[in-house]
Amino acid sequence: MALKKKGRYWYGTGPQDVQAEMVRFSQLNGYPSTRFSASVCSCGNATFKLESDEDAGAARRSCAACGSVHLMGDSAQYADEAEFERHDCACSEQVFQLLSGVALYDGTNDVRWYYIGCLCVACQLVGVFADWKCEAGNADVFLAAT
Ligand SMILES: [Zn+2]
Ligand SMILES: [Zn+2]
């Protein structure tokens, strides 16, 4: 594993390190993430600014290349009531590679909890920046929309 801790933060080198951190984080949360999907814009770029509102259960990403804005997973259902806040890295940059992960209800393919992991493009910090209880149904449909 390539994760390294510096002070309070973890640093990695790629999406697999975000996944490792998400597994650790989600196990501590009691709902282990078992399925994952990396965000890619329709333009092919994979770096984004991220905004979320955990209370409303919504997140949106803005492509760092083309500016296209996308509501992640089932967030479109909750975006009206959301007060989005932008995520800044500890290094103050705002562009990340994003990995979505979900925990499932036992014996089903139904989403139970949603995690959004980030890898900072500038400093390689990795972390789960947002997570919430999410009953979005079919995990394939949900992850395809992240
Ligand atoms: Zn784009
Ligand atoms: Zn950073």
Side-chain angles (χ1 to χ4, degrees), residues 47-60:
T47 56
F48 305 91
K49 293 185 177 179
L50 175 68
E51 297 169 293
S52 69
D53 178 343
E54 292 181 310
D55 295 326
R60 67 184 176 197

Side-chain angles (χ1 to χ4, degrees), residues 41-45 63-68:
C41 182
S42 51
C43 80
N45 181 59
C63 176
C66 76
S68 169

Side-chain angles (χ1 to χ4, degrees), residues 6-92:
K6 286 187 218 159
R8 296 195 293 132
Y9 302 110
W10 289 93
Y11 294 84
T13 53
Q16 72 281 5
D17 296 318
V18 184
Q19 183 169 325
E21 169 59 11
M22 189 177 289
V23 167
R24 187 193 69 83
F25 180 99
S26 63
Q27 283 171 350
L28 289 174
N29 189 47
Y31 305 104
S33 180
T34 54
R35 299 199 51 197
F36 307 91
S37 178
S39 294
V40 180
C41 182
S42 51
C43 80
N45 181 59
T47 56
F48 305 91
K49 293 185 177 179
L50 175 68
E51 297 169 293
S52 69
D53 178 343
E54 292 181 310
D55 295 326
R60 67 184 176 197
R61 56 173 167 81
S62 309
C63 176
C66 76
S68 169
V69 176
H70 175 73
L71 289 160
M72 300 171 73
D74 65 349
S75 296
Q77 290 179 42
Y78 308 102
D80 284 351
E81 57 210 75
E83 294 179 27
F84 287 108
E85 282 190 40
R86 197 186 60 215
H87 290 273
D88 295 337
C89 183
C91 77
S92 85

Side-chain angles (χ1 to χ4, degrees), residues 2 5 7 19-20 24 35 51 57 65 90 96 110-111 119-120 133 138:
K5 196 167 192 184
Q19 183 169 325
R24 187 193 69 83
R35 299 199 51 197
E51 297 169 293
F96 306 95
D110 291 341
V111 176
L119 170 70
C120 175
K133 180 177 168 62
N138 189 307

Side-chain angles (χ1 to χ4, degrees), residues 57 72-75 78 102-103 105 110-115 131-137 142:
M72 300 171 73
D74 65 349
S75 296
Y78 308 102
V102 293
Y105 282 102
D110 291 341
V111 176
R112 180 175 201 173
W113 207 278
Y114 181 33
Y115 302 90
D131 71 284
W132 57 84
K133 180 177 168 62
C134 180
E135 301 195 313
F142 182 85

